[in-house]
Amino acid sequence: MPTADFDHLRHAIALARRAREHGNHPFGALLANAAGKRLLEAENTVVTQRDCTNHAELNLVRLASHQLDRATLQGCTLYTSTEPCAMCAGAIFWSGIGRVVFALSEERLLAFAGGTSEESFLFLPCREVFARGHRTVDVIGPLLEDEAATVHAGFWLPKSAS
């Protein structure tokens, strides 16, 4: 693994921490071109924007689709603090992005959040979503899971009754 992959993942984890500090779910993502230059970044804004589709990866895909052509996106890598959910994997696929690198696995996220919060989860690993498509999306991960897990610690506790 290139050192840049780990640097970008650590930045995605920092974006997740920033999302949490802003009152959102702790997820962050960034897009880098084939040379490894960071082009765009996004954090989760589900709570503050009151939109259940505002996952970090989907926010990033929206930005990228408006600013970059499909040929450029094919050479890009999306780095994300946590494995993309099925919705985000679909958006990544349709955008044309060619590679995904993630830190925390969906399985490990569910160990934090599954059954302990009011959040809904659809367990469908991104590799399964991509495997159903007509083109290949390279996926690497999980990597740096322990580092990525720290931003979720204490976040997914059951909501107390008011």
Side-chain angles (χ1 to χ4, degrees), residues 88-106:
C88 292
I92 292 164
F93 176 82
W94 284 309
S95 74
I97 292 169
R99 183 171 178 253
V100 172
V101 180
F102 67 88
L104 189 71
S105 68
E106 186 176 57

Side-chain angles (χ1 to χ4, degrees), residues 52-144:
C52 65
T53 67
N54 280 359
H55 292 192
E57 299 90 344
L58 195 49
N59 287 341
L60 185 65
V61 167
R62 282 187 196 110
L63 286 170
S65 295
H66 288 289
Q67 296 181 31
L68 304 168
D69 61 45
R70 191 168 176 91
T72 301
L73 289 171
Q74 288 172 346
C76 287
T77 298
L78 187 149
Y79 294 89
T80 182
S81 62
T82 305
E83 181 175 359
C85 72
M87 174 182 68
C88 292
I92 292 164
F93 176 82
W94 284 309
S95 74
I97 292 169
R99 183 171 178 253
V100 172
V101 180
F102 67 88
L104 189 71
S105 68
E106 186 176 57
E107 184 176 353
R108 185 123 177 235
L109 173 64
L110 288 175
F112 276 105
T116 63
S117 74
E118 298 168 355
E119 303 300 322
S120 301
F121 291 93
L122 175 63
F123 184 71
L124 184 59
C126 69
R127 284 179 174 91
E128 290 184 36
V129 175
F130 297 140
R132 300 294 181 141
H134 66 279
R135 69 175 185 86
T136 300
V137 177
D138 294 325
V139 179
I140 298 171
L143 301 169
L144 306 176

Side-chain angles (χ1 to χ4, degrees), residues 31-52:
L31 192 70
N33 66 14
K37 179 183 176 194
R38 289 182 196 154
L39 302 176
L40 299 166
E41 58 185 48
E43 59 187 69
N44 180 292
T45 57
V46 166
V47 176
T48 56
Q49 296 289 315
R50 298 185 63 178
D51 184 338
C52 65

